[in-house]
Amino acid sequence: MNSDIPPKKLPQPSPAPGTHAAEDFECPICYKLMAEPMKLPCNHRTCLTCIITYLDNANRCPICRAQIPGNFIPTRDVDFQALVRQHNPKEFDKLILELDKYWKNELKFAKIKLQVGNLHEAVQGADEDTQNKHRWTFFVRCQQIPVESLIQEVTVKLHPTFNPPEVKLTKAPFQFSRIGWGVFELGISIIIKPELGVGAPVKVTHFLSFSAPETSNTVTVKVLREKLPQVAN
């Protein structure tokens, strides 16, 4: 799926204070007045709500294509917001009322991305007669916030030939290693900390891979935004 959003124009980085053109206050994603502007690490701006949705499927600036770090958390640019209001106060006030409803109804939850996967390496010095020549390490990671602030428990179901056939992880780092000879599907249950409002365990699967040093998939969970720990960008 192509997540690129073609911009209507290619705005330049923000000019000096007091020299803004009308298009500087327009979001390059929705083309509306940026009543809640935010600034990316590359210094381009979009609507806060637009970039939150955009980052579900992309990791580059929609304007200049610069890489957006995985731990970047969009926040409101209050200084630039004051300039937007001065530029068009009537439209600004109208949009703020709409956004207030949006935040209350749609954005109580933040989307946090987990990496679920495995590392792999060949077992050094393994006997030629043994089939157990692969060491793999299962992991659950999070780049946006400390994983211990998010996860309470991870349960992993292994192939029935393993003893025990189930592994329960209750503290970070949420990972463990085994030695074996073949690949199979892991059944994974992730319990998010109760105060984050997720409710039921997050159920996912991961098929072990021995074809690369590291293989992972992304799992998105929605947690209460107000309960997230404060993390510096």
Side-chain angles (χ1 to χ4, degrees), residues 57-76:
N57 299 304
N59 63 355
R60 293 184 179 276
C61 171
I63 301 166
C64 69
R65 313 304 301 152
Q67 186 86 22
I68 299 173
N71 63 348
F72 176 74
I73 298 179
T75 55
R76 192 178 293 106

Side-chain angles (χ1 to χ4, degrees), residues 2-21:
N2 187 354
S3 60
D4 293 351
I5 297 179
K8 185 171 66 176
K9 61 179 77 69
L10 294 177
Q12 298 300 314
S14 300
T19 62
H20 293 282

Side-chain angles (χ1 to χ4, degrees), residues 14 37-46 72 74-77:
S14 300
M38 58 73 54
K39 185 164 68 173
L40 291 165
C42 60
N43 289 326
H44 286 116
R45 291 185 175 90
T46 74
F72 176 74
T75 55
R76 192 178 293 106
D77 185 344

